[in-house]
Amino acid sequence: MLKVHLLNVFAFCSIAAILTLGACASHKKNFFSKTYHNTTARYNSYFIAKENIREVEEAISSAHKNNYGKILGVFHDIDSATIDGVRAQLEDAIVKASLSIQRHENSNWVYPSYYLVGKARYYGGDFVNAIETFKYINKYSEEKDLRHQALVALMRSFIDYGEHSNAVEVADYLRKENLNRENMRDFLLTKAYFSHIREDYNGLVRNLSQAVKMETGKKRKARYYFILGQVYQQLGFEGEAYNNYRKCLKSNPEYELSFYAKLNLAQVTRLDQKVDLKKIRGYFTKLLKDDKNREFIDRIYYEMANFEIKHNDPDLAVEYLKSSIASSVNNPRQKGNAYLRLGELYYDLYKNYELAQAYYDSTVSVLPKDEERFEEIKERAEILTDFVDQLKTIELQDSLLALSEMNKSELQQLLNDYVEEQERIKRQMERDARKLARQTTSADGAVAGRALANPFGIDEHSTVEGATWYFNNLSAISSGRTQFLSRWGNRPLEDNWRRSQRQSTLAVSQDERLETQDTASVEEGSNRQIQESEDKVQALMATIPFTDEAKAEALNKIEDAYFKLGGIYNFQLEEDENAIETYEKLLERFPGSAYEPETLYLLYLIYKPTDEEKSESYKRALTATYPKSIYAKLAINPNYREESSETAQRLQRLYKIAYDYYVREDFNQARLLVSRGLQQYPDNEFSDQLRILGILIDGKVEGQYKYQYELQQFIENYPDSKYLDYANKLLSASREFKSKELQRKGAQYITYFDQPHFFIFVYPDLEGFSELIPALIEKFIDEKFGGQNLKTGNLSLNKAFSIVLVNKFETKESAMDFYKDFNNSDLTLPQNQGAEYENFVITEDNFQILYQTKKTENYRTFFEENYKN
């Protein structure tokens, strides 16, 4: 019997072993094989991989810090530093899931393992392989719910990889599928996430409102309700925001979320009466007193400030924002937002641009750089820095100019009082600092405590917030003058008058003296202090523009600052009204400014969308006053730049051909091309380069003096040309060369007279003569020789004299006829300061020699011998 029993046991074990060995084959699909591989895959490699993914997701959740200053994300942000800390789990998840796939290929856990591989790659930032993995599941898996799950993950991968068009295609496909509850929830959450990224807040609300109904986890549900509350609050639907914040609180959220829900709830509570305002303010006070909220005090003050701004009490809001900054110790994001809010208030509401700039600067210094608007805020801070610099320049120079017009004795007293006041403030600040050091060990360095800049640059100067510099206030200056006369009378301006009259007032006060000081040391310190004060007064006096040159320089600085300020308003801050006001003030204060053409053009553009009549008036002023400017051409033809560029390209090709002829010394052909180009396109930006080439050609053909004459004409006629410096260099070089040549050879006039002649009138270079004399000669020519097509030119001969050149006469005889008629006429010339004149005729060749020597004495003898005799 025992034997039979043993045989049965042996047979059973043998059969079990055979069945187990058969089940281990991964390709077998019988009942035993499927059961084995399903069990082994699920509770071994797949289980470990899934635990790894769970640890990664918990790490992401734990590391995530909510930024309640903006709408929370549907999903937690995936931080690269966090991923680096769980890189081992991600790699192990891929290895374990791959084992499940390779060793248990006939189990039900192959494609779920692929899904874990895809998630691991997604969390690791390997979007390309994650996308391929999820696509593979959708293509080959026979399980519908798993395919839908993979497609939801694929959609999120496309979103984070930046392939939004592919994400939309996946969403369109899933929308037509019949999803189970869990996949539908995840799909709606992913669509809400996508809407948030695209700033489609309607889509965010629509999808998240549906998803929250399918959510079973209370913590996640509370977060989604909070997000909905934030969106509704931002869109201005405060009733809906209130309802969602209430639902968030009913979902038993974590304390931090609960705190912010209560805080936001106060902002959207409907208020009908003053009693309600008092109730909400009391609610904020209650939050402040709650010990559990100690770490959130800065945020409470910040929301209290927002509440007061909303209910039109900005002054109280400013105080709360300062309290927020003072209580913000370990929350740079919150402190930065408080600084930013102050900057916005001081800019938009109080128009205190200097403080606004300071607060923006502080914002940039503390706000984390990952803040969504950081670069925008930084750029605005930089703009405001430049903006405030221009305002300070205008205020300072205007103040200095006003001071320069004051009576000297009154000005002396004003500066004395100013320095004395700064010294008093400095002593008071030092006493306050010592007192504060005894009372507390720390203080917040809020910007509000910063002193306003001293226009004179004195370090000791400090003012309270909202104060203005005394000398920037003309009424204060006037008041100071009156007080001075009332107190001191009309005192003469004397050196060291303060030393004799007011020494006692500058003595160090009794409470500041050390008891151990004797009378001598006190007197010595007082005298030293008086001397230092007088030195400071003299330093201030030296900055005031008393001379005409200094005043002109101050006005130039103001003019430049107005133009730059208008540009900042117009192009950077995009504040049209302020830009218009600044530009029009520039035109009013500085008529004929070098900035006038561009300013008129900018005003034409700014007014164009809103006031066509005003716009056209500026266009007319521009085209009438500055018809040749590029701004006038742009006002007439907005496509001028493009068309000008095409023309420039044609001129460049023509220039190259003409220059090749010039190099080959085929000057006639080169001159023909230059003349043709300038005739067709006289005003193009490239035309000046063609003109310079024409002058070089004329110099080769007609000689140095013709070359110099045309260079001089170019310099006078095209003062804004970019080739002006080049033309001046060419002219200087030519004159220097010719001068040395004449010095070497001596001035020898040529007796060849069978050539064209000029009439020359030499006059002293006195004030107003350069316009008057040419005009008188032109009038004479029009009356006596109007039909001969004579032309005049005005040239500087030397430092003392200029010449009017009349050209040209084809023969010596015709030139002398003009000479005789001119000298026999009744033309009346000014006799200012004993002015002396002379005139003569001269050949082209001899004029070149005369113009180079700059002296008429030698030629006068030559003229008497060869013309008059």
Side-chain angles (χ1 to χ4, degrees):
M1 218 27 215
L2 179 61
K3 191 174 196 178
V4 172
H5 178 70
L6 289 173
L7 286 172
N8 289 337
V9 171
F10 177 76
F12 175 80
C13 291
S14 298
I15 292 170
I18 292 169
L19 290 173
T20 301
L21 288 172
C24 287
S26 61
H27 60 278
K28 298 282 186 179
K29 294 188 178 180
N30 57 60
F31 171 78
F32 292 105
S33 178
K34 290 281 288 182
T35 302
Y36 169 78
H37 286 290
N38 280 336
T39 303
T40 307
R42 180 177 182 180
Y43 295 107
N44 285 286
S45 53
Y46 175 82
F47 175 81
I48 296 171
K50 190 174 181 180
E51 283 297 299
N52 282 325
I53 295 298
R54 184 183 60 79
E55 289 178 17
V56 170
E57 291 174 341
E58 286 180 354
I60 292 171
S61 178
S62 299
H64 177 77
K65 300 296 181 184
N66 288 322
N67 179 3
Y68 291 95
K70 62 180 184 179
I71 296 172
L72 299 185
V74 175
F75 302 127
H76 291 150
D77 295 332
I78 301 174
D79 182 65
S80 58
T82 303
I83 294 302
D84 289 340
V86 292
R87 187 69 65 184
Q89 287 93 320
L90 289 174
E91 292 174 356
D92 190 54
I94 293 173
V95 170
K96 294 300 190 292
S98 298
L99 285 175
S100 181
I101 294 167
Q102 294 166 3
R103 296 182 180 179
H104 308 287
E105 64 184 48
N106 67 338
S107 74
N108 296 333
W109 300 96
V110 171
Y111 291 106
S113 296
Y114 272 116
Y115 180 75
L116 294 179
V117 170
K119 290 194 75 173
R121 286 170 171 168
Y122 167 79
Y123 287 131
D126 183 5
F127 295 112
V128 173
N129 283 317
I131 288 168
E132 291 304 316
T133 304
F134 294 134
K135 284 182 177 179
Y136 182 84
I137 297 170
N138 179 56
K139 185 175 181 179
Y140 293 107
S141 175
E142 296 178 358
E143 188 178 342
K144 181 179 70 172
D145 291 340
L146 181 60
R147 285 191 292 104
H148 291 160
Q149 187 179 19
L151 286 173
V152 172
L154 177 64
M155 179 181 172
R156 185 173 171 186
S157 299
F158 276 136
I159 293 169
D160 289 348
Y161 193 44
E163 294 188 359
H164 290 182
S165 58
N166 287 334
V168 170
E169 288 185 17
V170 175
D172 287 342
Y173 176 80
L174 283 171
R175 185 167 49 84
K176 302 169 187 176
E177 292 288 293
N178 184 20
L179 308 182
N180 65 24
R181 183 182 180 87
E182 185 177 347
N183 284 337
M184 177 57 76
R185 178 203 63 196
D186 292 343
F187 176 47
L188 290 168
L189 290 173
T190 304
K191 286 204 294 181
Y193 171 67
F194 194 21
S195 296
H196 192 180
I197 287 175
R198 295 191 294 179
E199 297 183 357
D200 174 14
Y201 295 111
N202 290 328
L204 172 56
V205 167
R206 184 175 59 254
N207 289 296
L208 194 57
S209 296
Q210 296 179 59
V212 73
K213 297 174 183 176
M214 301 179 182
E215 182 57 67
T216 56
K218 283 193 172 183
K219 289 184 179 180
R220 288 191 295 271
K221 182 173 284 194
R223 179 184 179 86
Y224 301 152
Y225 278 129
F226 184 86
I227 294 171
L228 287 169
Q230 285 184 302
V231 177
Y232 278 123
Q233 185 177 357
Q234 181 168 306
L235 295 176
F237 299 105
E238 295 190 345
E240 289 299 323
Y242 180 89
N243 292 335
N244 279 280
Y245 285 136
R246 294 291 297 172
K247 290 177 181 178
C248 171
L249 292 172
K250 289 180 180 179
S251 299
N252 194 26
E254 293 178 342
Y255 185 77
E256 183 181 69
L257 191 66
S258 171
F259 165 78
Y260 281 103
K262 292 175 183 177
L263 207 57
N264 291 355
L265 198 63
Q267 296 286 4
V268 296
T269 299
R270 182 177 178 182
L271 303 176
D272 295 322
Q273 300 175 4
K274 290 184 178 179
V275 176
D276 293 328
L277 283 172
K278 187 176 180 181
K279 182 179 178 182
I280 296 300
R281 287 173 178 142
Y283 178 72
F284 280 126
T285 302
K286 184 179 178 182
L287 289 175
L288 281 174
K289 292 179 178 179
D290 191 337
D291 288 340
K292 293 197 295 279
N293 297 334
R294 186 170 299 174
E295 64 177 297
F296 303 122
I297 286 179
D298 54 349
R299 182 69 191 198
I300 297 172
Y301 276 123
Y302 182 77
E303 292 302 329
M304 290 171 73
N306 286 334
F307 182 82
E308 298 304 337
I309 291 170
K310 182 179 177 181
H311 293 91
N312 302 316
D313 193 346
D315 293 343
L316 185 56
V318 167
E319 295 305 314
Y320 285 148
L321 287 169
K322 291 176 182 176
S323 296
S324 175
I325 291 167
S327 58
S328 187
V329 180
N330 297 317
N331 192 348
R333 195 181 303 276
Q334 177 55 53
K335 180 176 283 193
N337 284 327
Y339 276 132
L340 177 61
R341 203 77 171 97
L342 279 168
E344 292 169 343
L345 283 173
Y346 276 103
Y347 184 88
D348 297 324
L349 184 64
Y350 294 110
K351 308 300 180 186
N352 188 328
Y353 302 117
E354 190 171 350
L355 269 180
Q357 184 275 329
Y359 281 122
Y360 266 95
D361 194 47
S362 296
T363 302
V364 174
S365 69
V366 301
L367 196 67
K369 291 181 174 54
D370 64 352
E371 186 70 22
E372 195 171 297
R373 293 179 56 208
F374 181 82
E375 289 303 323
E376 174 191 339
I377 295 165
K378 182 181 177 183
E379 181 183 4
R380 189 172 181 85
E382 292 169 352
I383 291 170
L384 287 179
T385 298
D386 189 17
F387 177 85
V388 169
D389 285 345
Q390 307 315 318
L391 283 180
K392 284 182 177 179
T393 297
I394 294 169
E395 291 172 359
L396 172 60
Q397 298 305 321
D398 274 337
S399 298
L400 293 177
L401 287 169
L403 293 175
S404 72
E405 301 300 320
M406 287 183 65
N407 176 279
K408 286 293 181 68
S409 60
E410 296 174 21
L411 176 60
Q412 180 79 38
Q413 177 57 32
L414 191 68
L415 297 181
N416 289 336
D417 289 345
Y418 173 77
V419 170
E420 185 176 332
E421 178 65 13
Q422 304 317 303
E423 291 168 350
R424 186 195 67 77
I425 291 173
K426 179 184 176 184
R427 292 194 299 272
Q428 183 62 48
M429 291 178 65
E430 289 173 349
R431 286 196 297 270
D432 291 346
R434 289 194 295 271
K435 183 178 179 180
L436 185 63
R438 289 193 298 268
Q439 291 178 347
T440 181
T441 58
S442 64
D444 183 79
V447 176
R450 290 175 51 177
L452 293 179
N454 178 3
F456 281 122
I458 295 179
D459 293 338
E460 288 87 345
H461 175 55
S462 174
T463 70
V464 296
E465 180 183 307
T468 57
W469 182 49
Y470 181 78
F471 295 147
N472 283 348
N473 189 331
L474 295 182
S475 64
I477 292 175
S478 176
S479 175
R481 178 187 300 181
T482 303
Q483 292 176 15
F484 170 77
L485 293 174
S486 173
R487 182 178 178 185
W488 300 101
N490 191 12
R491 284 180 171 271
L493 181 60
E494 299 175 347
D495 291 338
N496 301 323
W497 73 275
R498 292 174 74 249
R499 187 188 298 273
S500 60
Q501 296 295 329
R502 302 188 61 203
Q503 181 166 326
S504 61
T505 65
L506 291 177
V508 180
S509 60
Q510 184 67 30
D511 62 325
E512 291 176 309
R513 285 195 203 116
L514 296 174
E515 293 181 0
T516 56
Q517 285 184 318
D518 55 20
T519 304
S521 63
V522 171
E523 184 176 349
E524 180 183 352
S526 178
N527 289 335
R528 184 171 60 251
Q529 184 179 2
I530 292 171
Q531 185 60 52
E532 289 175 355
S533 297
E534 290 174 353
D535 290 343
K536 290 176 182 176
V537 169
Q538 293 307 312
L540 295 178
M541 192 74 77
T543 66
I544 300 174
F546 292 111
T547 66
D548 290 342
E549 293 80 4
K551 290 177 181 178
E553 183 180 353
L555 287 170
N556 285 336
K557 290 179 180 178
I558 294 171
E559 182 182 358
D560 291 342
Y562 267 119
F563 184 73
K564 291 176 182 176
L565 192 63
I568 294 170
Y569 274 131
N570 188 21
F571 298 109
Q572 296 177 295
L573 297 177
E574 297 180 356
E575 298 178 9
D576 287 351
E577 290 185 7
N578 286 328
I580 288 170
E581 181 182 351
T582 305
Y583 283 140
E584 290 181 339
K585 192 173 291 184
L586 169 65
L587 296 177
E588 179 185 347
R589 284 196 65 176
F590 302 97
S593 165
Y595 298 117
E596 188 165 279
E598 187 174 355
T599 303
L600 290 170
Y601 177 67
L602 291 170
L603 284 168
Y604 155 72
L605 291 179
I606 296 171
Y607 272 119
K608 195 170 184 180
T610 57
D611 191 337
E612 188 68 29
E613 183 178 349
K614 193 77 171 176
S615 175
E616 284 299 314
S617 70
Y618 280 114
K619 179 180 177 180
R620 286 192 297 272
L622 173 61
T623 54
T625 313
Y626 304 98
K628 293 186 177 181
S629 70
I630 188 171
Y631 302 107
K633 293 170 183 175
L634 284 170
I636 295 169
N637 178 13
N639 298 321
Y640 173 77
R641 287 189 188 276
E642 292 77 8
E643 294 174 4
S644 178
S645 178
E646 294 174 4
T647 302
Q649 291 176 12
R650 286 195 289 271
L651 285 177
Q652 286 173 12
R653 290 193 292 270
L654 186 145
Y655 177 90
K656 185 178 184 306
I657 298 170
Y659 185 78
D660 288 341
Y661 281 121
Y662 170 78
V663 171
R664 297 202 298 267
E665 298 187 356
D666 187 350
F667 300 123
N668 289 332
Q669 190 65 32
R671 178 185 275 179
L672 181 64
L673 287 174
V674 169
S675 177
R676 186 187 302 165
L678 291 175
Q679 191 173 19
Q680 289 181 336
Y681 310 110
D683 296 327
N684 187 266
E685 59 183 15
F686 196 78
S687 298
D688 285 353
Q689 191 165 346
L690 211 59
R691 287 188 179 93
I692 292 290
L693 178 58
I695 293 170
L696 292 171
I697 295 168
D698 286 347
K700 292 290 185 181
V701 174
E702 301 188 33
Q704 282 289 314
Y705 293 103
K706 177 70 170 178
Y707 173 66
Q708 291 177 13
Y709 173 78
E710 290 193 4
L711 283 172
Q712 183 68 39
Q713 291 296 104
F714 179 88
I715 291 166
E716 292 177 3
N717 293 332
Y718 304 99
D720 297 327
S721 173
K722 64 180 179 181
Y723 296 103
L724 186 67
D725 290 341
Y726 181 59
N728 276 311
K729 289 177 182 178
L730 290 177
L731 183 58
S732 298
S734 176
R735 285 173 174 172
E736 184 178 357
F737 170 78
K738 200 66 181 177
S739 177
K740 290 179 179 178
E741 186 179 43
L742 286 173
Q743 288 173 7
R744 180 173 57 84
K745 294 181 178 180
Q748 298 178 349
Y749 290 102
I750 302 166
T751 56
Y752 171 64
F753 303 109
D754 189 15
Q755 58 175 302
H757 280 64
F758 300 141
F759 172 80
I760 303 295
F761 185 87
V762 184
Y763 66 91
D765 197 6
L766 299 176
E767 184 177 357
F769 274 30
S770 63
E771 295 179 359
L772 176 61
I773 300 299
L776 289 172
I777 294 175
E778 287 175 4
K779 182 179 179 182
F780 169 79
I781 292 171
D782 289 341
E783 292 175 353
K784 304 288 186 179
F785 296 87
Q788 293 191 20
N789 195 29
L790 296 174
K791 296 180 179 178
T792 63
N794 192 40
L795 298 173
S796 174
L797 181 63
N798 52 43
K799 292 182 179 179
F801 292 92
S802 294
I803 62 174
V804 176
L805 181 148
V806 181
N807 69 90
K808 56 175 123 177
F809 303 94
E810 295 301 326
T811 65
K812 176 181 177 182
E813 290 73 22
S814 62
M816 285 302 294
D817 287 342
F818 182 89
Y819 170 82
K820 292 172 185 177
D821 286 346
F822 182 83
N823 285 282
N824 292 329
S825 71
D826 56 357
L827 180 66
T828 303
L829 297 169
Q831 299 299 318
N832 302 34
Q833 304 174 26
E836 295 182 0
Y837 308 95
E838 62 176 313
N839 61 84
F840 45 79
V841 297
I842 191 170
T843 64
E844 283 187 326
D845 289 342
N846 286 335
F847 174 73
Q848 294 181 17
I849 298 170
L850 171 68
Y851 194 69
Q852 190 62 46
T853 62
K854 306 292 184 183
K855 298 177 181 179
T856 62
E857 293 87 350
N858 292 340
Y859 184 76
R860 193 180 304 121
T861 303
F862 180 87
F863 176 71
E864 293 287 341
E865 293 175 353
N866 293 281
Y867 287 86
K868 296 187 74 172
N869 295 331

